[in-house]
Amino acid sequence: MTTPQAAAGPRLTAPPPPSPAAGTRRRGPAHPGWTPWLYLAPALVVLGGLLVYPVYQLGLISFLDYTQAQVSGGQPTSFRGFGNYTDLFGDPEFWRVLASTVLFAGACVVGTLAIGCALAVLLTRVRALPRLALLLAALGAWATPAITGSTVWVFLFDPDFGPVNKVLGLGDHSWTYGRYSAFALVLLEVVWCSFPFVMVTVYAGIRAVPGEVLEAAELDGASQLRVWRSVLAPMLRPVLVVVTVQSVIWDFKVFTQIYVMTNGGGIAGQNLVLNVYAYQKAFASSQYGLGSAIGVVMLLLLLAVTLVYLRLLRRQDRAGADGREGEGL
């Protein structure tokens, strides 16, 4: 006679849960190892050839006594150590040019970001046809070569034939004669050819912001300035970081606009910036070692500014995250 349990058949039992080790083996290693570097290898090879080697040569020449005599083979190349840097830092003209470069680049960055961000917001407020016209005009300015744009701006403000003086009734006023008016003229040209990058990039970032967020801010009665400062700017922080760093790098190493519009740096070098100053030392004076030292100083300054800026932004992000956690508690 069979029991009820035997009649019902064998009892089914659930399989044991997989061990953590088995799950780990199925998911693969936690660290990808060398796989990302294999994907990045082609780009790193290209960057090594186009960036690392020239920077190495720049640094090497900055430690050498390298003039036209060494280039032509008339004299042997000798090692100077930090002699070029000592001569550079002991020259008062270098510090004057450095101060002018920092102030000029800072003004260009502020002007470029202000106009680019304002026009990006404007693009979201106008209809399709005005938006298309503004985008085409901005892209035309962006696509214009620097030397072409500089030549056009010099013609526009020419004291004899330029239409600007005629419209303003300034007669034969020379915009490039005075130091500050010449810097202002170059600044306008730099901002004109630089703001389209900021405008297009920020506009793309704004279009990615959810419309409900902007509608909620408008329903709360926030002004356009308040919406930008409290809603758009925090959400567009990664985009603003990119355009700011790019603008700092581009404006700090401006060469073509200064060289063309001020005829090589202005009267008695009053409009020199570091890039033009390095060109004069390296090629006009054949002091290639000293010019390379100026290039190394520029490279280190740009790296320092970029790293400090990124670190400040990281601190602000951490402070904001801590504040939000505190409000949640």
Side-chain angles (χ1 to χ4, degrees):
M1 183 174 181
T2 59
T3 61
Q5 289 83 357
R11 180 179 299 176
L12 299 177
T13 58
S19 63
T24 304
R25 286 194 298 269
R26 284 197 297 269
R27 288 193 299 267
H31 300 286
W34 292 96
T35 302
W37 293 103
L38 293 177
Y39 286 108
L40 292 174
L44 293 177
V45 171
V46 174
L47 288 177
L50 298 179
L51 181 62
V52 176
Y53 182 73
V55 170
Y56 163 75
Q57 287 292 333
L58 182 72
L60 177 62
I61 296 176
S62 69
F63 291 103
L64 302 177
D65 184 11
Y66 201 67
T67 62
Q68 187 61 38
Q70 284 76 28
V71 173
S72 61
Q75 295 181 6
T77 302
S78 59
F79 182 75
R80 291 200 63 193
F82 290 96
N84 289 322
Y85 294 95
T86 302
D87 296 341
L88 182 64
F89 295 147
D91 187 2
E93 185 181 16
F94 165 74
W95 297 105
R96 180 182 65 82
V97 173
L98 176 60
S100 300
T101 304
V102 171
L103 294 176
F104 174 75
C108 290
V109 171
V110 172
T112 301
L113 292 177
I115 295 178
C117 293
L119 291 178
V121 175
L122 178 63
L123 286 175
T124 63
R125 302 294 177 181
V126 298
R127 296 182 178 180
L129 187 59
R131 183 189 308 123
L132 179 61
L134 181 56
L135 282 172
L136 291 177
L139 293 177
W142 192 13
T144 302
I147 189 170
T148 304
S150 301
T151 304
V152 171
W153 276 78
V154 169
F155 169 75
L156 292 176
F157 289 86
D158 185 83
D160 297 323
F161 307 102
V164 175
N165 282 3
K166 295 180 180 180
V167 172
L168 299 179
L170 298 178
D172 58 351
H173 172 71
S174 177
W175 293 84
T176 59
Y177 182 80
R179 182 189 184 196
Y180 297 106
S181 61
F183 268 129
L185 182 61
V186 178
L187 184 146
L188 291 175
E189 202 280 333
V190 172
V191 172
W192 173 77
C193 67
S194 300
F195 83 87
F197 169 73
V198 178
M199 182 190 73
V200 173
T201 306
V202 175
Y203 173 69
I206 294 176
R207 299 297 296 177
V209 175
E212 296 80 2
V213 177
L214 300 179
E215 292 178 2
E218 293 178 356
L219 291 176
D220 290 340
S223 62
Q224 294 297 327
L225 182 60
R226 184 60 184 273
V227 170
W228 169 261
R229 186 179 59 190
S230 302
V231 179
L232 288 177
M235 299 184 71
L236 296 176
R237 187 182 298 273
V239 176
L240 295 176
V241 169
V242 172
V243 297
T244 301
V245 172
Q246 291 279 9
S247 298
V248 169
I249 294 174
W250 288 342
D251 296 338
F252 192 83
K253 60 185 186 67
V254 164
F255 175 84
T256 305
Q257 291 88 342
I258 289 287
Y259 194 83
V260 172
M261 300 179 70
T262 64
N263 196 19
I267 301 174
Q270 63 181 2
N271 296 113
L272 282 175
V273 292
L274 279 180
N275 230 354
V276 181
Y277 183 61
Y279 174 83
Q280 288 188 353
K281 292 297 183 182
F283 296 100
S285 302
S286 299
Q287 301 178 16
Y288 301 105
L290 189 60
S292 299
I294 299 173
V296 171
V297 171
M298 291 181 59
L299 176 63
L300 294 178
L301 286 175
L302 287 175
L303 286 176
V305 170
T306 303
L307 292 177
V308 169
Y309 181 73
L310 293 177
R311 187 171 183 179
L312 290 176
L313 288 177
R314 184 175 299 177
R315 286 184 178 179
Q316 292 178 2
D317 292 339
R318 290 178 179 176
D322 293 341
R324 290 189 295 269
E325 291 178 359
E327 291 176 359
L329 294 177

